[in-house]
């Protein structure tokens, strides 16, 4: 029996009850086997919509650090593109569910005087009825699972409420498991990356202590090695903290009118020595009168520097990096083009992921693979877009655009 046939069954015969139990067991097995949070949330909303034969479904989760409620996933033909967006706890159906820890059903919005804030995030879906259930983990409500518009144009049944509550309870456990796995996986990766510089510092300092009569020249050489590893260690930790703040919305942007060409020039000067070590030329192009934008100069400089640093790492000896700025009355664009190894087509969708390193270069390059992820978050925090184009053996071009306002 298909999910849709199952949802349309009017009587709970023994056969239907067995089919329902088997189906929910299969859903449970799938849920608990999924450790990718994004894929898990997508699966939950799709199953919720199919099980109840509803036009659409969504999941909203509480951010544990900020306490805010956010749209995280949605399913439905008329939904359109949905991005992670905040929803007020006060004045939303999901907020009521989270605060009260109970399901809520509205069979007819035309007869209900309340306005639910989450409806503002779905302009393409004409909502007639809503059913929502709390996502509870160990007596704590972590979010809400909602379905919209029962097919055909009918009210939600007690079976729908039972189904959604059961699915929500299972989903909450799976979500917390996926979150825990994500955190432990990230910490494990960070510890693995930190192990190299920490070990180097320990080895160099132990060598210095073991040779009290070490000459000044050798002492300076070893101290430079210790300093280099310490700086690298501090940078890695700072990158991880920056990314954590950006992901949780806790990074405060100090916005002012910013000249991106001036920032790019500062980056060229900052990374000139690093590029020169591999005989790589940094070239800056763009008119002097590129429009200024409103943004955080320090973070935007960091974003440009990350792109140039990445281009240096993946370039050829004696290569060229071209930094180009352009603008119009609406947006400003910055691109960083290298003549390096390029990125395999299968890796293009992964380059902005945390801890990513290009195939074939994971062991040869320093860094934890956080720079591009941080850059993406910075650009998005400024209302901008970022993308990459690449061809194996030819090179890559990373570019971002920012609104003037």
């Amino acid at each position: 029996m298909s999910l849709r046939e199952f949802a349309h069954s009017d009587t709970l015969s023994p056969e239907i009850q067995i089919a329902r139990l088997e189906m929910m067991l299969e859903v449970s097995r799938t849920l608990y086997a999924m450790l990718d949070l994004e894929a898990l949330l997508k699966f939950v909303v799709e199953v919720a919509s199919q099980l109840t034969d509803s036009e659409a479904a969504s999941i909203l989760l509480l951010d544990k650090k900020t306490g805010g409620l956010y749209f995280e996933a949605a399913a439905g033909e008329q939904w359109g593109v949905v991005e992670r967006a905040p929803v007020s706890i006060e004045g939303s159906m999901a907020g009521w569910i989270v605060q009260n820890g109970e399901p809520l059903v509205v069979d007819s919005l035309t007869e209900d005087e309340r306005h639910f804030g989450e409806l503002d995030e779905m302009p393409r879906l004409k909502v007639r009825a809503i059913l929502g259930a709390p996502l509870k983990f160990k007596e704590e409500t972590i979010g809400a699972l909602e379905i919209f518009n029962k097919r055909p144009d009918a009210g939600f049944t007690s079976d729908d409420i039972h189904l959604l509550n059961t699915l929500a309870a299972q989903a909450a456990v799976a979500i917390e498991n996926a979150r825990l796995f994500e955190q432990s996986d990230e910490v494990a990766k960070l510890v693995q990356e930190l192990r190299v510089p920490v070990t180097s510092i320990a080895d160099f300092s132990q060598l210095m202590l073991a040779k009290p009569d070490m000459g000044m020249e050798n002492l300076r050489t070893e101290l430079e090695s210790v300093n280099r590893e310490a700086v690298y260690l501090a940078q890695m930790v700072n990158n991880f903290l920056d990314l954590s703040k950006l992901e949780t919305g806790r990074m405060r942007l100090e916005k002012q009118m910013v000249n991106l060409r001036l920032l790019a020039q500062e980056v060229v000067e900052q990374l000139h020595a690093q590029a020169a070590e591999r005989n790589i030329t940094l070239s800056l192009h763009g008119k002097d009168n590129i429009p200024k934008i409103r943004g955080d100069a320090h973070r935007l400089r960091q974003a440009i520097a990350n792109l140039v640093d990445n281009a240096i790492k993946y370039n050829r000896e004696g290569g060229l990096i071209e930094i180009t700025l352009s603008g119009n009355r609406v947006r400003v664009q910055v691109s960083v083009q290298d003549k390096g190894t390029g990125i395999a087509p299968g890796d293009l969708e992964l380059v902005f992921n945390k801890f990513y390193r290009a195939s074939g270069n994971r062991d040869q390059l320093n860094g934890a693979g956080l720079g591009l992820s941080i850059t993406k978050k910075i650009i998005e925090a400024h209302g901008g877009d970022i993308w990459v184009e690449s061809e194996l053996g030819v090179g890559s071009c990373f570019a971002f655009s920012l609104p003037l306002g």
Side-chain angles (χ1 to χ4, degrees):
M1 179 181 289
S2 69
L3 287 176
R4 182 156 294 178
E5 291 172 334
F6 160 67
H8 272 304
S9 299
D10 295 324
T11 58
L12 294 179
S13 66
E15 292 81 7
I16 293 175
Q17 292 182 23
I18 293 173
R20 171 174 290 184
L21 179 60
E22 290 177 345
M23 205 164 296
M24 290 304 299
L25 286 173
E26 180 60 32
V27 169
S28 297
R29 284 192 290 267
T30 303
L31 281 174
Y32 297 143
M34 299 179 75
L35 294 175
D36 183 299
L37 183 59
E38 183 177 352
L40 170 64
L41 296 178
K42 183 178 180 182
F43 174 76
V44 171
V45 291
E46 289 176 350
V47 167
S49 179
Q50 293 175 31
L51 275 175
T52 59
D53 199 22
S54 302
E55 290 183 5
S58 70
I59 275 185
L60 299 93
L61 296 179
L62 281 174
D63 188 304
K64 292 185 177 181
K65 294 182 178 179
T66 67
L69 185 63
Y70 290 85
F71 261 112
E72 298 289 355
E77 296 178 0
Q78 299 179 10
W79 194 285
V81 178
V82 173
E83 298 180 353
R84 187 175 191 266
V87 172
S88 174
I89 292 180
E90 299 297 331
S92 68
M93 181 171 178
W96 187 94
I97 293 170
V98 167
Q99 289 179 322
N100 292 273
E102 298 177 4
L104 181 62
V105 60
V106 177
D107 282 322
S108 176
L109 281 181
T110 58
E111 298 177 6
D112 197 301
E113 296 180 354
R114 293 172 293 180
H115 173 76
F116 301 110
E118 58 263 55
L119 302 184
D120 298 332
E121 299 298 326
M122 48 185 104
R124 294 178 56 184
L125 180 68
K126 186 177 180 181
V127 178
R128 303 184 303 273
I130 315 174
L131 171 60
L135 295 163
K136 283 188 173 183
F137 180 76
K138 294 182 178 179
E139 303 305 318
E140 177 187 2
T141 303
I142 64 172
L145 174 61
E146 298 178 330
I147 54 176
F148 306 89
N149 301 346
K150 175 82 171 178
R151 293 191 184 101
D153 192 3
F156 293 108
T157 66
S158 58
D159 289 336
D160 293 325
I161 298 173
H162 175 72
L163 272 172
L164 198 66
N165 268 326
T166 302
L167 178 61
Q170 295 174 347
V173 176
I175 288 169
E176 288 301 298
N177 286 342
R179 280 175 165 174
L180 183 61
F181 178 81
E182 269 192 356
Q183 292 169 2
S184 61
D185 193 41
E186 288 178 11
V187 171
K189 288 179 180 177
L190 179 64
V191 171
Q192 184 177 4
E193 295 295 339
L194 293 177
R195 184 172 55 186
V196 175
V198 168
T199 302
S200 297
I201 291 172
D203 289 345
F204 284 130
S205 59
Q206 186 176 11
L207 179 62
M208 293 164 65
L209 290 170
K211 295 182 177 181
D213 57 344
M214 183 182 294
M216 287 302 298
E217 185 176 344
N218 290 333
L219 179 61
R220 181 175 181 82
T221 299
E222 297 300 330
L223 282 173
E224 288 175 347
S225 298
V226 170
N227 178 258
R228 182 169 57 251
E229 295 296 338
V231 169
Y232 173 61
L233 180 63
Q235 182 182 14
M236 193 181 303
V237 172
N238 287 335
N239 282 344
F240 192 80
L241 292 175
D242 281 347
L243 185 58
S244 176
K245 289 178 182 178
L246 285 162
E247 288 183 328
T248 58
R250 292 183 293 117
M251 178 171 283
R252 182 179 177 183
L253 298 178
E254 302 291 342
K255 291 190 175 182
Q256 57 185 328
M257 297 310 296
V258 177
N259 184 329
L260 283 178
R261 195 183 196 287
L262 180 60
L263 295 186
Q265 182 62 52
E266 292 173 356
V267 169
V268 170
E269 295 171 0
Q270 170 191 341
L271 298 179
H272 172 75
Q274 179 181 331
E277 290 179 0
R278 301 186 60 213
N279 197 27
I280 294 172
T281 302
L282 299 180
S283 177
L284 178 61
H285 306 277
K287 297 180 180 179
D288 293 333
N289 61 346
I290 297 294
K292 292 183 178 182
I293 69 158
R294 184 168 179 78
D296 187 312
H298 172 66
R299 294 303 172 186
L300 291 173
R301 185 189 298 108
Q302 180 182 9
I304 298 172
N306 284 346
L307 294 183
V308 177
D309 175 73
N310 184 75
I312 294 172
K313 288 179 179 177
Y314 289 95
N315 216 323
R316 298 186 177 91
E317 294 283 341
L320 172 67
I321 296 173
E322 294 181 311
I323 306 157
T324 306
L325 291 89
S326 60
N328 53 36
R329 286 180 287 183
V330 180
R331 301 181 77 83
V332 171
Q333 179 172 312
V334 178
S335 65
V336 178
Q337 173 81 54
D338 67 61
K339 304 296 182 183
T341 56
I343 304 169
D347 287 346
L348 279 175
E349 295 183 358
L350 306 175
V351 294
F352 295 109
N353 288 358
K354 287 175 286 190
F355 302 106
Y356 167 82
R357 287 176 181 169
S359 301
N361 293 279
R362 292 183 173 90
D363 299 326
Q364 291 81 8
L365 297 172
N366 289 329
L370 297 176
L372 292 179
S373 184
I374 289 172
T375 298
K376 183 175 186 290
K377 296 294 183 182
I378 290 174
I379 298 306
E380 290 177 344
H382 282 81
D385 301 304
I386 187 168
W387 63 94
V388 59
E389 298 174 354
S390 185
E391 184 177 349
L392 278 177
V394 177
S396 304
C397 180
F398 286 82
F400 65 82
S401 70
L402 297 167
L404 297 187

